[in-house]
Amino acid sequence: MGNEVELLEHWRQLTPQKQQKVLEFVELLKSEPETTPSECDFVPQTPLAKKLWSIRQRAIAAGLQLLNEDEIEVELAERRGGFRES
């Protein structure tokens, strides 16, 4: 059975609310950038790096939005009472 046929069969079994969630998830997937080749080729070498990489991959799979450098700086400043170095 093709993926499209299987997907359609599952789709028909969902409630309208769950169908809406599927549509929202598909839109999210479409908006995410494709994985860069360097990220695909990354192989953590140390036990700590392997653990951190695993956590990162689970976070991405769960739909968490990763922060960029500026967003991390803002979050740290907020956690530290609002002080922010320029």
Side-chain angles (χ1 to χ4, degrees):
M1 180 182 313
N3 287 339
E4 291 179 34
V5 174
E6 186 177 358
L7 182 61
L8 189 53
E9 286 181 10
H10 288 297
W11 172 267
R12 290 181 178 143
Q13 296 171 6
L14 296 175
T15 65
Q17 294 83 6
K18 289 188 177 184
Q19 289 177 352
Q20 182 60 38
K21 285 184 178 182
V22 170
L23 290 174
E24 290 169 3
F25 180 69
V26 169
E27 287 301 317
L28 175 67
L29 289 176
K30 285 172 35 181
S31 70
E32 289 179 351
E34 292 297 319
T35 305
T36 60
S38 61
E39 190 172 315
C40 291
D41 297 336
F42 177 75
V43 179
Q45 300 298 312
T46 66
L48 177 58
K50 290 175 183 177
K51 182 176 181 179
L52 292 173
W53 186 253
S54 173
I55 292 168
R56 181 184 192 278
Q57 296 306 101
R58 287 195 316 260
I60 292 170
L64 293 176
Q65 188 67 31
L66 301 180
L67 302 178
N68 64 31
E69 194 173 339
D70 292 333
E71 293 166 330
I72 292 170
E73 188 176 315
V74 169
E75 183 171 323
L76 283 173
E78 289 171 357
R79 289 178 182 219
R80 294 176 178 166
F83 175 77
R84 182 173 178 197
E85 250 182 302
S86 296

